[in-house]
Amino acid sequence: MVREKDYFNIILDSIADGVFTVDKQWRITTFNKAAERITGFTREEAIGQYCYEIFRTNVCLERCALRETMQSGQDIINKELNILDKYNREIPVSISTAVLRDEKGEIIGGVETFRDLSLIKELDKEIHEKYSFQDIISKHPSIVNIFRILPDIARSEATVLIQGESGTGKELIAQAIHNLSPRKDGPLVKVNCGALPETLLESELFGYLRGAFTDAKRDKPGRFKLAEGGTIFLDEIGDIPAGIQAKLLRVLENKEYEPLGGTSTIKADVRVVTATNKDLERLVKLGQFREDLYYRLNVVKIELPSLRERRMDIPLLIEHFIERFNKKTGKEIRGVSDEVMKILLNHPYPGNIRELENIIEHAFILCKGPQIQWEHLPSYLRNQKPSTTERRSIREIEKEHIINTLQRCSGNMTKAAQELGIHRTTLWRKLKKMGSI
Amino acid sequence: MKVAIPINGDRIAPRLSLAKEVVVAELKGRREVGRERLNISGLYPMEIPDFLASKGVTKVIAAGVDWYLQEIFRLHNIDVTWGIMGNVDEVLNFYLTEGLQMGMGLCPPRRSRRRFRGFHF
Ligand SMILES: Nc1ncnc2c1ncn2[C@@H]1O[C@H](COP(=O)(O)OP(=O)(O)OP(=O)(O)O)[C@@H](O)[C@H]1O
Ligand SMILES: [Mg+2]
C-alpha cells in the first residue's frame, strides 16, 4: 500500500509547475520534480536550505512574496519575477503563494508554486519583438546578450569600449548607451579621432584660449566642453596619437583637462564612450597604444560580431531596411526574390551592415515593382552568378551555429546554451525541431 | 591574495548582483590574516567588479552570479567560483583546508544523505 506521505509526493511530482513549501524559518520542506527542473537544484540539495538561497529571485530578500503572504495571510497569484537558476541563468517565472496552517489554524509555513515563463517569453518575443532594441536589429545570441546588459551599462558611469569591424553598428550602440543613460537629456558629442591631424584633434577635443596660437582670435570650447553633462563618443580611438593619449588618460583619471594656451584646469562632467575597429590589445603589445589608457577605456567592452558571423540576421536586416526605405521613398516593396536572398545570404560583407544597407538602398532606386530582383543588385554582386547549390536557409545557418557551439562545448548542453545565450530548454526545443535528438 | 565574498548576514548572499555587503578576506598561504566588511549597496551590479578590483581582490567566492557579471569579472582578471552556499567562516575555512569546487552547493557539504523529511500536515 502506498503510504500517505509517498502519495503526497507522487501527486506533487505530477504537477507541471514548480512547487515548494517552507517552514516558518524559511527552510525548504518540500520540493517537487518541476521545481528541480526549473531551478536546476535537486530535491536533496534544496530540502533544508533557506528558500532564498535556492530560489534566488530578484526580490527574495527585499520584497519576498511568500513573506508578504505569511504576514498578511493573503494569497498572491501570478506575480512575475525572475530567478537565477543553479547555472546562473535568469529565468522569468510566474509565482503564486499561500499560507499553510495546521488543524488549529496556526500558520506553520508557506507554499509557493511557480511556472517557467522563459518558453512563453521566448515565443512571444519571436512573434512580437522582432528582435529589435533601440533601433538595433539582431537575433544573434551575442547581440541579444548585449541588449540585455545595455540598460545596466548605460546606467553606470563606466567608460565603454565598443569593438567591431567597420559598419557593425558601433555608433548605434553608442547612441543607445547615451539614450538609456541618466545623461540622455544632455548632449551626445561625436568625435572621429581618425580624421584629424594631432594638433587639430587636440584643440578639437580640449579647445583653446584666445592667443594660444596666432590664429586663435577668440576662445574656442572643445568637444569635452560641448559634451558637458552628457556623453562624448570618441570614434576610431585606436588612431589617436601618443600626446593626446596622455591627455585623455588624465581626463579619465581626474576628470579634468587644460585647454591649449590655458594654465588652469577645467573639470569635465562627461561620460566617455569609445569605439574602434582595431585590435587595441595588439596595438598595446606593439607599443602604439598606452597600456594604462587601454585599461581605463576597457572597463566595459562590447564586441560586435561581423555580419559574416551572424548570417542569421541577414533576412531580418533586409526586412528592416526595406521597411525603412519604404517609409523614406513612399514605395511599397515587399521583399526580395529567392535568388536575391540566396546571393545576399552568401555574400561575405566586408562592409558589414552598412554594406547591406547600401545594397538595399541601391536596389530601391532601380526597383519599380513589389519585389527586389537580381537585376536591381549592384553589379559587383550580380557578377557572382547565383550558385546552383541549394540555398542556405536561415534554419540551416542557425543549425550550423548551434552544432558548432555544441561541438566546441563537447556536447555539454548546459554550456552550449550558456554560450548561445539561450535557455537550456530553448536549445532542447531547437535541437528537437532540427531533428538532432 | 584577497578574496571577496558577497554576504547576507553571516551567509553567502544568494545572488551577487543583489548583495549589500561583501567580506574581503586577506589570505597568506593557508591562513587568513585580515578581513574587512564592505558596503556595496550603493553600487550598480556592473560596478562591483571594478570596485573589488580596486580593493586588490583577485578572487570571488559566491552563490549565484549573473553571467554578465562573470564576463566583467573576467575582464578584471578576477577569478569567480560560483555555486557556493553556506556560512562565510565555514566556507573560507573549507576553501583553505580542502578547496572549493565550482557549483558544489552547500559548503561544507552534508556528510550523510539526510532522509527526506517531507512536510507534516
Ligand atoms: N544591428 C543593426 N540593426 C540595424 N541597423 C544597423 C545595425 N547595425 C548597424 N546598422 C546600420 O548600419 C549602418 C552602420 O552602422 P554604424 O555607423 O553604427 O557602424 P560603425 O560600426 O560605427 O561603422 P564604422 O566603423 O565604419 O564607423 C548604420 O546605418 C546603422 O544604422
Ligand atoms: Mg562609426
Side-chain angles (χ1 to χ4, degrees):
Chain A
M1 209 189 85
V2 186
R3 280 160 46 219
E4 202 176 327
K5 199 164 80 185
D6 296 336
Y7 207 64
F8 171 70
N9 284 325
I10 291 168
I11 293 172
L12 271 183
D13 283 344
S14 67
I15 299 175
D17 288 353
V19 180
F20 71 84
T21 58
V22 295
D23 61 19
K24 280 164 80 174
Q25 281 73 49
W26 311 105
R27 300 268 192 181
I28 295 177
T29 46
T30 311
F31 202 72
N32 76 346
K33 273 237 153 48
E36 289 187 324
R37 182 172 43 76
I38 299 169
T39 64
F41 287 102
T42 65
R43 178 176 303 185
E44 271 202 350
E45 288 170 319
I47 296 284
Q49 301 306 314
Y50 292 110
C51 56
Y52 46 80
E53 292 194 356
I54 294 294
F55 213 46
R56 319 199 291 197
T57 77
N58 50 337
V59 298
C60 265
L61 300 169
E62 311 247 281
R63 286 167 289 130
C64 167
L66 205 46
R67 179 181 312 232
E68 279 171 30
T69 293
M70 276 160 72
Q71 273 161 5
S72 68
Q74 297 262 303
D75 299 352
I76 288 175
I77 294 169
N78 287 337
K79 180 178 163 132
E80 280 193 26
L81 39 85
N82 71 61
I83 66 172
L84 204 62
D85 79 356
K86 185 176 176 183
Y87 308 101
N88 293 311
R89 258 153 326 185
E90 257 190 344
I91 300 176
V93 294
S94 158
I95 64 152
S96 300
T97 59
V99 291
L100 292 173
R101 296 173 196 274
D102 63 11
E103 309 87 83
K104 289 184 229 112
E106 297 277 344
I107 293 182
I108 53 168
V111 56
E112 182 161 321
T113 65
F114 53 105
R115 176 169 301 169
D116 183 352
L117 296 180
S118 48
L119 205 64
I120 299 169
K121 285 256 150 102
E122 172 97 6
L123 291 174
D124 231 34
K125 202 165 87 185
E126 261 173 51
I127 298 159
H128 298 297
E129 256 190 14
K130 287 179 55 199
Y131 301 97
S132 96
F133 183 70
Q134 296 275 321
D135 285 339
I136 309 162
I137 313 283
S138 183
K139 59 191 270 188
H140 187 273
S142 68
I143 304 220
V144 173
N145 281 340
I146 292 171
F147 292 171
R148 283 206 276 173
I149 57 172
L150 215 51
D152 263 336
I153 292 178
R155 255 182 286 136
S156 82
E157 282 281 295
T159 306
V160 180
L161 173 63
I162 307 165
Q163 217 155 11
E165 289 179 15
S166 172
T168 46
K170 298 187 291 292
E171 194 164 333
L172 268 187
I173 294 278
Q175 180 80 53
I177 290 173
H178 177 72
N179 291 350
L180 294 165
S181 78
R183 296 172 171 272
K184 63 176 185 297
D185 297 324
L188 169 62
V189 174
K190 296 170 195 168
V191 186
N192 186 338
C193 302
L196 298 169
E198 174 157 6
T199 43
L200 262 173
L201 180 58
E202 181 167 3
S203 66
E204 209 35 57
L205 285 173
F206 306 110
Y208 54 76
L209 299 182
R210 197 167 69 122
F213 44 89
T214 355
D215 284 343
K217 300 275 184 276
R218 64 172 80 108
D219 293 359
K220 178 185 143 75
R223 301 287 179 102
F224 269 96
K225 183 84 201 153
L226 298 174
E228 187 69 14
T231 309
I232 193 165
F233 174 46
L234 303 175
D235 208 354
E236 314 300 352
I237 190 77
D239 293 341
I240 61 169
I244 300 186
Q245 289 182 23
K247 276 204 146 187
L248 188 57
L249 183 64
R250 187 159 156 232
V251 184
L252 292 172
E253 280 179 341
N254 305 330
K255 299 249 162 233
E256 62 181 32
Y257 62 91
E258 270 159 35
L260 267 73
T263 44
S264 57
T265 56
I266 297 183
K267 280 272 162 209
D269 170 27
V270 177
R271 164 91 179 268
V272 179
V273 176
T274 64
T276 177
N277 53 25
K278 302 218 162 109
D279 182 353
L280 279 194
E281 215 159 330
R282 227 188 98 244
L283 294 185
V284 169
K285 287 206 185 94
L286 292 173
Q288 290 166 18
F289 203 87
R290 291 179 69 124
E291 191 173 9
D292 45 7
L293 178 59
Y294 172 66
Y295 283 114
R296 276 284 161 184
L297 296 175
N298 194 21
V299 177
V300 175
K301 177 150 89 190
I302 296 179
E303 265 173 292
L304 294 174
S306 67
L307 190 51
R308 288 181 301 291
E309 296 164 87
R310 41 186 280 221
R311 286 186 194 275
M312 59 166 82
D313 281 344
I314 293 171
L316 270 178
L317 285 164
I318 292 174
E319 198 186 315
H320 169 71
F321 290 131
I322 287 181
E323 234 171 77
R324 209 158 81 194
F325 290 123
N326 271 338
K327 276 206 194 108
K328 200 166 136 190
T329 61
K331 291 192 179 184
E332 284 178 18
I333 292 177
R334 282 196 291 278
V336 303
S337 71
D338 282 358
E339 194 183 16
V340 168
M341 184 61 96
K342 196 187 313 180
I343 295 172
L344 293 181
L345 278 172
N346 282 300
H347 183 61
Y349 297 101
N352 290 293
I353 299 158
R354 181 178 296 111
E355 181 179 357
L356 178 58
E357 186 177 2
N358 291 342
I359 292 169
I360 302 292
E361 186 167 23
H362 179 277
F364 251 74
I365 298 169
L366 301 178
C367 179
K368 304 279 181 270
Q371 194 180 54
I372 293 171
Q373 306 290 336
W374 179 78
E375 57 270 25
H376 303 140
L377 292 176
S379 61
Y380 75 95
L381 283 173
R382 270 183 287 134
N383 294 339
Q384 314 168 347
K385 254 323 225 182
S387 66
T388 42
T389 52
E390 97 276 34
R391 171 180 152 205
R392 275 161 59 86
S393 74
I394 199 65
R395 289 249 168 274
E396 284 162 350
I397 291 162
E398 185 178 76
K399 179 169 169 177
E400 188 185 300
H401 183 55
I402 288 177
I403 301 288
N404 283 344
T405 309
L406 267 169
Q407 270 166 357
R408 220 176 17 252
C409 301
S410 323
N412 181 329
M413 292 272 287
T414 306
K415 243 171 87 184
Q418 226 157 15
E419 195 165 306
L420 289 162
I422 58 180
H423 189 247
R424 208 162 65 249
T425 52
T426 311
L427 176 57
W428 199 263
R429 183 171 54 89
K430 283 189 188 293
L431 286 169
K432 231 168 160 171
K433 233 191 327 199
M434 283 161 29
S436 295
I437 45 173
Chain B
M1 71 182 279
K2 285 188 174 178
V3 178
I5 307 179
I7 50 167
N8 169 45
D10 58 0
R11 294 179 65 82
I12 298 191
R15 196 161 163 170
L16 187 143
S17 56
L18 300 174
K20 297 203 159 40
E21 275 187 299
V22 290
V23 157
V24 174
E26 185 162 4
L27 310 178
K28 279 235 167 71
R30 294 192 160 208
R31 257 175 358 106
E32 183 179 343
V33 294
R35 185 188 285 211
E36 35 174 358
R37 234 177 141 105
L38 303 172
N39 184 320
I40 55 166
S41 61
L43 298 177
Y44 287 112
M46 294 261 318
E47 296 168 334
I48 298 173
D50 194 34
F51 173 74
L52 293 179
S54 76
K55 297 285 172 197
V57 168
T58 52
K59 184 180 181 66
V60 165
I61 296 170
V65 185
D66 297 65
W67 69 270
Y68 68 87
L69 280 181
Q70 293 182 40
E71 292 289 316
I72 302 172
F73 276 118
R74 215 189 335 267
L75 279 176
H76 283 93
N77 290 319
I78 296 178
D79 176 56
V80 179
T81 300
W82 51 257
I84 312 293
M85 292 151 61
N87 172 286
V88 181
D89 293 324
E90 286 175 11
V91 168
L92 261 175
N93 187 34
F94 198 84
Y95 171 59
L96 290 173
T97 53
E98 324 230 348
L100 297 172
Q101 257 178 319
M102 191 108 92
M104 70 187 284
L106 190 64
C107 175
R110 273 180 246 192
R111 299 249 167 256
S112 59
R113 280 174 50 150
R114 223 193 295 181
R115 264 170 54 83
F116 171 57
R117 286 180 293 139
F119 201 87
H120 305 287
F121 289 91

